[in-house]
Amino acid sequence: MLKHFKSVFIISTPLLLKYLFLIIFIEWDLFNIEDIKEDILFYLGILFLSFSNLINNRFFANSLYFVYILYVILETTSYIAVSSNFSSSYMYLLLESNKQELNEFASSYISNSIILFIVLSCLLFFFIKKNKFGILNKYYSFLGFIIITVFLKFTGLIESNAYHNVVRGTYGYINLQNSVKLNSKISKSDIIIQSDNEVLVVVLGESTARGHMQLYGYHRQNTPLLNSIKDSLFVYNDVISSDVFTLKSVPKMLTSLDVNSKNNEVTNIVEVFNVAGFKTYWLSNQRPISYHDNAISKIASASTMFKFYNHIIEKNTLSLDEVIFPDYNEILKEPGKKIIFIRLIGTHFNYEKRYPESFNVFNKEDGKTSKEQTIINQYDNAILYNDFIIYNLIKDLNKNSNRSALLYMSDHGENLYHNGTDFFGRSEEILTETMFEIPFLLWTSKNFNFPKDFQYNQNRKFMADHTYDCIGHLFGVMHKNMNINNSIFSKSFLSRKRKVIDNTLDFDNYFIEKNE
């Protein structure tokens, strides 16, 4: 009996170490009781397997303890870094990011406490694997493990399990890419051209929350250039993204895919303009995961010309958005009708690398030097630089064409310690309004040929998964599957419930109820 008790204690040491670190390094009220229940059950599952005769196989034993220790490391470091359990959202984000972005993430979140925990956990692994544990009835032990696993599944507690979320996040990532099957059978008869405009520029920002922009009432003067031409802009005040991750939101913006789509084959806005007789260009300051496997890259690859700057420049995330300017201006000088898609690195984390030193304006505020204030200062500097980029894209467009327009929006917003949260970034597990609230603005030249039913209502409640319809309506290139009632620019616009996160949450009610 004493031997079994000793074994129980030894196997529990990684979990005890986890909660010791969490108690020391994070606030207790951040704990989710469901996570604690799941931890205990997961530990019991490991315990049952440890007492089965399978443990006599050294390879199995070492693999089991490695899986156990890795689980504890994932869970603990996630809590210490971002105050949340390791979720499928984080796995999704890891798969979406490239090597340099992962390096940036690690450099910003890795701390002495995390390093110490990993080192101690590794030492515990070698300590546990040296011990031999007693064997209980092999059938009862394995049956106990099965019962715990089934219980976790049917109670929903498995949603807090790191390994479950690794699998779910990976599956969701692969499923999204495989599910976006672009329609390659578009014909001219499917499209009605209703205007004679020349150039449309669609600018996709990155991680830019409108609540941190002076143009939208933010207290800092971080969009002075856009403010200087505000009278020539159509600024929409209540636009949200459908998702908090790029790979979920952007395909819904640029294809017929939306939160209610039921069929797998979708129409690509790039291909619509190709068939309509426009030259199509894609300039991206974000490195693709690959040219053909990533859903966004699939959309881009239909362009007449596409260029990924961070694919060429080795230190991709150090590339400033102005790298696009030379090619952009050359394209504007080319004759013929065209649509140019521009993907910015924008205000994507790591914020301090999104602007040159000359834009390091907000580096102090009332003498505050806290980590939180430093992060906010860097983000606001990135907004300031982003203002410079958007303004110059508009200025150069105005200089080079007569009937033109520029539409700017962000793929999603960003959380900057809002609503009492103590983290920055995005997560589907801890949602804030600012993760969804995006800038959405339109500039047009004086001679631009507006749709006959164009109507500007700056306070329309709009979700960006219908941007596909807006682009076609605005530029008078309407595919048969576009719906004018979906266009924010139309008198016929029909409002709807804005369901976010895979059509599961009513945005306009969720945060009201949450904040009450």
Side-chain angles (χ1 to χ4, degrees), residues 42 46 61-72 125 163:
F42 183 81
I46 296 293
N62 291 341
S63 298
L64 176 66
Y65 299 136
F66 175 79
V67 165
Y68 176 41
I69 294 294
L70 181 59
Y71 165 86
V72 175
F125 169 71
Y163 288 119

Side-chain angles (χ1 to χ4, degrees), residues 294-462:
N294 178 265
I296 300 172
S297 296
K298 284 183 181 179
I299 296 170
S301 65
S303 303
T304 308
M305 183 275 262
F306 57 95
K307 187 171 183 179
F308 292 85
Y309 295 86
N310 278 331
H311 184 74
I312 298 170
I313 300 172
E314 290 298 326
K315 294 183 178 180
N316 48 18
T317 51
L318 295 178
S319 174
L320 298 174
D321 281 329
E322 61 195 71
V323 70
I324 288 171
F325 286 164
D327 286 319
Y328 175 66
N329 277 286
E330 288 302 313
I331 292 169
L332 289 177
K333 293 174 183 176
E334 293 179 7
K337 294 183 177 182
K338 59 186 74 75
I339 181 170
I340 308 169
F341 295 91
I342 296 176
R343 281 200 72 205
L344 303 176
I345 196 69
T347 56
H348 191 291
F349 170 81
N350 189 344
Y351 312 132
E352 65 178 330
K353 295 182 179 180
R354 300 297 158 248
Y355 52 88
E357 181 57 32
S358 59
F359 284 80
N360 185 21
V361 173
F362 307 109
N363 52 14
K364 290 182 181 179
E365 181 171 299
D366 301 327
K368 295 179 183 178
T369 56
S370 66
K371 176 185 175 182
E372 290 80 5
Q373 190 59 54
T374 298
I375 293 292
I376 291 171
N377 290 342
Q378 291 168 354
Y379 187 78
D380 289 346
N381 287 332
I383 294 281
L384 182 67
Y385 181 66
N386 190 65
D387 173 67
F388 165 79
I389 296 297
I390 304 302
Y391 174 81
N392 278 280
L393 290 174
I394 292 172
K395 184 180 71 172
D396 292 341
L397 177 60
N398 190 36
K399 181 172 59 178
N400 285 282
S401 62
N402 287 320
R403 295 183 301 280
S404 58
L406 182 144
L407 178 63
Y408 166 69
M409 75 214 76
S410 182
D411 55 355
H412 50 72
E414 195 87 337
N415 184 66
L416 276 299
Y417 308 101
H418 292 106
N419 295 345
T421 59
D422 68 344
F423 76 99
F424 63 93
R426 289 157 284 120
S427 166
E428 289 182 352
E429 309 303 317
I430 308 175
L431 296 173
T432 62
E433 295 100 318
T434 57
M435 295 179 192
F436 298 94
E437 293 171 341
I438 58 172
F440 194 96
L441 59 90
L442 171 69
W443 173 89
T444 63
S445 65
K446 291 181 179 179
N447 297 325
F448 183 75
N449 188 355
F450 284 95
K452 291 181 180 179
D453 67 335
F454 181 85
Q455 183 183 69
Y456 175 46
N457 183 341
Q458 62 185 2
N459 295 317
R460 273 181 173 159
K461 293 181 180 294
F462 179 75

Side-chain angles (χ1 to χ4, degrees), residues 183-305:
N183 182 7
S184 58
K185 299 178 181 178
I186 302 174
S187 66
K188 282 190 176 182
S189 62
D190 296 332
I191 300 169
I192 299 174
I193 299 177
Q194 301 171 325
S195 69
D196 192 32
N197 289 311
E198 297 174 343
V199 184
L200 175 61
V201 180
V202 179
V203 184
L204 294 170
E206 170 68 56
S207 304
T208 304
R210 69 167 182 262
H212 264 261
M213 297 174 67
Q214 177 193 2
L215 188 67
Y216 284 93
Y218 187 54
H219 68 278
R220 280 178 160 173
Q221 297 182 9
N222 59 359
T223 60
L225 296 175
L226 288 177
N227 273 64
S228 71
I229 59 169
K230 188 173 182 178
D231 290 343
S232 64
L233 300 176
F234 300 93
V235 180
Y236 293 87
N237 296 328
D238 199 357
V239 176
I240 63 168
S241 174
S242 61
D243 299 275
V244 298
F245 293 119
T246 302
L247 201 53
K248 281 185 168 185
S249 63
V250 171
K252 293 187 184 81
M253 293 176 174
L254 299 183
T255 72
S256 58
L257 182 72
D258 66 13
V259 295
N260 294 309
S261 293
K262 296 231 183 333
N263 68 53
N264 289 333
E265 189 169 75
V266 297
T267 306
N268 178 1
I269 191 69
V270 177
E271 194 60 50
V272 170
F273 275 83
N274 282 337
V275 175
F278 286 73
K279 289 185 179 179
T280 55
Y281 301 86
W282 188 282
L283 305 178
S284 176
N285 196 25
Q286 294 203 34
R287 187 182 183 182
I289 297 173
S290 73
Y291 280 94
H292 302 292
D293 295 332
N294 178 265
I296 300 172
S297 296
K298 284 183 181 179
I299 296 170
S301 65
S303 303
T304 308
M305 183 275 262

